[in-house]
Amino acid sequence: MLPSTIPLDAPGYTRIDSERVGELLLRYDTIILDLDGVVLRYSQPIPGVDRTLRHLRRQGRRVLVSSNSMRRTPRLISRTLTALDLPLAEEDIVTSGRVTLDYLSRRPVETPGVLAFGCNGLEADFERIGLKCLDPAQPVAQERIGMVVVGAIEETGFRLELYEAALNAAVRGVPVIATSLDLTVPARQGLKIGSGLLAQFLIMALKQDTRNVHVTGKPGAIYFRYLREHLLGREPGRCIFVGDTLSADITGARDAGLDTLFVLSGNDDLTHMQHLGVRPDFIAASIAEGESYARV
């Protein structure tokens, strides 16, 4: 059960009198909602989110959904949300996969071979932009690897030598495309390993030299630049980003110049906020209930 109000132990914040979260969001023309932890939790809608979304739409607000997922395409997410009575158009869903394909389509291709992790089912999408996913079932020669794309940690079907191939390719300067830097993700039974684990390992192996590491998911600038250019216009105007993860959602959106609402319905809590020193503009229990608190 989510708390109905935010504990008053977040220094530097004050309650917004007589305002609930829906009324706060109506200050903005466009509301971007992180998917997991803001709209869904454990693949089910957070109670009351449907009412908030209907309220925003009745008032003519544009609602977008954001995800660091590579495998879950905008089409799949749209179908999932519609089945859960949260209808959202495919074009209003931005995933790190969508951003990755757009970004790679603009890069010159020298060696088209892609060593891809967690990108199953997207082989045709890579081929459409002139890239070829290398077959993980076959031995991979280093000279065939033109880039490493880390979409997720593979649970089955991948061998240790493939991770070592990615490591050695990164060390010799092959571009690494990271769709997420999240080390963990919440699950019903606790925490699961996040899709960013391999990307973070490669960054450590490169001794933090990230010149050839390109982060296409949140909090990377590539992701938020895509939002600006394709969905918000180069000037974001009255837009707020709502997220539950401080390092990915709030920091990335804040660096992009967007207002931010941090909600406690997902991954992080006030302890994380104070420990990391991240300062969102607003705090709330969720987008569905509870009062809001604004930065003083």
Side-chain angles (χ1 to χ4, degrees):
M1 177 67 67
L2 297 171
S4 59
T5 59
I6 298 297
L8 291 177
D9 58 356
Y13 288 79
T14 183
R15 189 179 67 176
I16 305 173
D17 291 335
S18 304
E19 296 233 23
R20 300 184 73 80
V21 178
E23 294 168 341
L24 163 65
L25 295 177
L26 285 177
R27 298 179 184 181
Y28 297 88
D29 299 321
T30 302
I31 299 96
I32 307 173
L33 307 174
D34 181 46
L35 179 63
D36 295 305
V38 176
V39 178
L40 304 180
R41 187 165 176 81
Y42 311 137
S43 301
Q44 293 299 313
I46 291 173
V49 164
D50 56 337
R51 295 192 299 273
T52 300
L53 295 185
R54 285 195 294 269
H55 175 60
L56 293 172
R57 284 179 162 170
R58 280 196 301 267
Q59 300 300 321
R61 301 306 189 266
R62 186 183 187 191
V63 179
L64 306 176
V65 162
S66 166
S67 171
N68 257 6
S69 175
M70 184 74 184
R71 279 196 180 130
R72 288 185 293 178
T73 64
R75 176 174 298 180
L76 177 60
I77 292 173
S78 176
R79 289 176 176 174
T80 300
L81 293 176
T82 299
L84 295 171
D85 199 27
L86 296 167
L88 202 73
E90 183 179 341
E91 58 266 24
D92 290 330
I93 298 170
V94 185
T95 65
S96 60
R98 180 175 170 182
V99 176
T100 298
L101 292 169
D102 176 81
Y103 177 69
L104 293 180
S105 71
R106 302 167 186 266
R107 288 178 59 88
V109 177
E110 297 180 4
T111 303
V114 177
L115 183 56
F117 296 83
C119 302
N120 299 19
L122 297 176
E123 291 83 358
D125 295 292
F126 281 103
E127 287 186 5
R128 275 194 288 271
I129 58 175
L131 300 172
K132 176 71 174 178
C133 289
L134 301 175
D135 185 354
Q138 301 296 325
V140 177
Q142 279 290 318
E143 63 271 14
R144 296 182 61 202
I145 303 175
M147 73 177 60
V148 176
V149 177
V150 183
I153 293 293
E154 293 288 350
E155 297 179 4
T156 60
F158 268 72
R159 310 180 308 276
L160 177 61
E161 54 263 36
L162 290 173
Y163 293 101
E164 292 176 343
L167 169 62
N168 285 287
V171 168
R172 68 181 175 86
V174 166
V176 174
I177 311 300
T179 65
S180 171
L181 296 178
D182 297 333
L183 292 175
T184 62
V185 292
R188 193 179 300 275
Q189 68 275 23
L191 291 176
K192 295 181 66 175
I193 293 175
S195 57
L197 181 64
L198 176 56
Q200 295 275 25
F201 167 73
L202 294 176
I203 290 171
M204 291 176 60
L206 293 170
K207 298 180 172 58
Q208 306 298 323
D209 181 358
T210 58
R211 285 174 293 179
N212 287 318
V213 179
H214 309 275
V215 182
T216 53
K218 301 169 293 181
I222 295 170
Y223 188 95
F224 287 94
R225 184 164 61 244
Y226 180 94
L227 276 175
R228 282 177 178 267
E229 294 179 353
H230 293 266
L231 294 169
L232 304 177
R234 292 187 181 274
E235 295 299 327
R238 298 202 314 160
C239 175
I240 188 169
F241 194 102
V242 185
D244 69 304
T245 304
L246 293 159
S247 58
D249 299 328
I250 303 303
T251 300
R254 185 187 60 187
D255 290 347
L258 305 179
D259 282 1
T260 55
L261 168 62
F262 172 47
V263 293
L264 305 181
S265 52
N267 201 33
D268 292 342
D269 56 24
L270 292 176
T271 302
H272 290 96
M273 190 186 80
Q274 294 163 8
H275 175 70
L276 295 173
V278 177
R279 295 272 290 167
D281 296 288
F282 305 98
I283 308 171
S286 77
I287 63 167
E289 59 183 272
E291 294 166 308
S292 299
Y293 291 80
R295 192 168 61 189
V296 175

